Amino acid sequence: MSEIILGKVIIRGKIRLKTGLHIGAQTEAIEIGGIDNPVIKDPLTGKPYIPGSSLKGKMRSLLEKAKNAEQPEDMRGAGDGKYIGRNIGTANNPIWIHSCEDYNKAKGCEVCRLFGTSSKGSNFPARTIFRDAHLCDNQNPDEIIEIKYETGIDRITSAANPRPMERVVPGTEFEFEIVYNVEDENDKKTDLENLIKLMKMLEDDYLGGSGSRGYGKVEFAITEVVERSRDYYLGSADQNLVFSDEEGKRPEEVLLEISGKL
Ligand SMILES: [Zn+2]
């Protein structure tokens, strides 16, 4: 069960915000007099970005839910012994996720293969790396943050309690990069297609907080899918440009174009 690398497939493109995005920063980072709900920003540049962990977490949960629906009825749902059967939170505040308990099961599992599992038995490192998505060069960082007042209404007195919330404005574009490690040629096509299908599913879901209130609708535009074999890195082989489009194409279009080339 040692890891091998046969090659890497790199997917690049843009994430476009269709509605305002709020991915919250750690509260201890708030300056005195600062807004109480800031968006996360790169400490070096002060510009907002989308953490790779946010993309990874969201895509994992979407694939888990889709696969949960394929389970026999008595395995569905969350809890001990179920498909979504591992609590990574606490007893009082459980956070249930799917996680295969050993390496061999994880290798046969589309979720754990892509996103990894670290159960008691043996670890299966994720095959996928989600880089932080930074602002595209043409975006003016001074014009992309707005303060939105979210109002809670007291159910008894009807008093409104507006709370300021930072969010990144619609239209903003971020550059994403997802790297898939090829460890088994037989899994490559399924895994890569799953990644692109998850982009589509995420478009119909949301990223960050307050999604049920309309925040976090995004759109993916894939500009490049490039495959680099082991020989590309260690030998003299060329990379294989599986897909390229400067403007970027939608996930479902890219899926059609690359299906015969993986
Ligand atoms: Zn699994």
Side-chain angles (χ1 to χ4, degrees):
M1 60 182 208
S2 50
E3 272 182 275
I4 57 166
I5 289 187
L6 300 174
K8 288 172 180 282
V9 180
I10 299 127
I11 308 172
R12 293 197 182 96
K14 290 174 200 158
I15 298 173
R16 235 174 251 135
L17 303 189
K18 303 300 283 181
T19 63
L21 175 72
H22 178 86
I23 297 177
Q26 296 290 337
T27 42
E28 51 267 30
I30 299 171
E31 298 156 45
I32 293 167
I35 187 162
D36 69 347
N37 282 302
V39 295
I40 192 162
K41 299 180 190 84
D42 185 322
L44 288 178
T45 62
K47 296 177 188 173
Y49 71 104
I50 300 172
S53 57
S54 294
L55 280 176
K56 181 183 178 186
K58 193 71 203 198
M59 286 194 182
R60 177 180 192 127
S61 80
L62 289 171
L63 189 56
E64 284 180 3
K65 287 177 192 170
K67 292 291 164 188
N68 195 23
E70 291 175 4
Q71 302 303 312
E73 213 151 319
D74 59 339
M75 285 295 287
R76 279 187 212 159
D80 285 325
K82 303 277 190 176
Y83 179 75
I84 310 260
R86 181 149 179 244
N87 181 9
I88 58 165
T90 60
N92 288 336
N93 276 312
I95 301 168
W96 293 98
I97 68 162
H98 162 78
S99 176
C100 285
E101 68 252 31
D102 66 51
Y103 183 92
N104 285 325
K105 278 192 184 149
K107 199 191 169 313
C109 167
E110 292 178 22
V111 175
C112 294
R113 248 170 23 206
L114 280 179
F115 299 102
T117 173
S118 54
S119 288
K120 291 165 232 142
S122 46
N123 290 352
F124 191 99
R127 286 181 177 172
T128 319
I129 301 162
F130 293 81
R131 310 269 195 220
D132 291 341
H134 291 283
L135 276 183
C136 291
D137 287 342
N138 60 356
Q139 304 291 290
N140 183 345
D142 297 329
E143 292 172 357
I144 58 162
I145 290 186
E146 65 178 8
I147 312 287
K148 179 132 191 316
Y149 282 87
E150 288 292 338
T151 306
I153 309 276
D154 185 299
R155 297 297 185 271
I156 310 293
T157 64
S158 293
N161 173 32
R163 293 170 59 230
M165 200 163 190
E166 261 190 358
R167 57 179 206 173
V168 185
V169 299
T172 308
E173 291 184 340
F174 297 86
E175 268 169 38
F176 77 87
E177 183 178 277
I178 295 173
V179 180
Y180 171 76
N181 286 326
V182 184
E183 292 175 11
D184 186 332
E185 286 289 340
N186 295 319
D187 299 334
K188 184 173 72 176
K189 188 170 191 291
T190 307
D191 285 351
L192 285 166
E193 287 183 351
N194 273 340
L195 279 173
I196 296 174
K197 287 172 187 172
L198 285 169
M199 292 178 194
K200 186 69 205 160
M201 217 192 288
L202 177 50
E203 288 186 342
D204 291 338
D205 210 275
Y206 63 90
L207 202 56
S210 300
S212 66
R213 283 184 277 150
Y215 286 44
K217 181 173 161 66
V218 299
E219 198 173 81
F220 285 86
I222 298 172
T223 54
E224 196 174 76
V225 179
V226 59
E227 181 170 14
R228 294 171 173 168
S229 66
R230 194 186 142 273
D231 285 347
Y232 167 84
Y233 295 107
L234 303 179
S236 56
D238 285 333
Q239 65 178 18
N240 173 23
L241 194 57
V242 183
F243 171 83
S244 169
D245 185 286
E246 216 170 292
E247 288 299 302
K249 281 194 178 170
R250 322 267 302 126
E252 61 269 35
E253 292 175 300
V254 176
L255 211 50
L256 285 176
E257 286 200 29
I258 68 170
S259 69
K261 299 183 189 170
L262 289 171

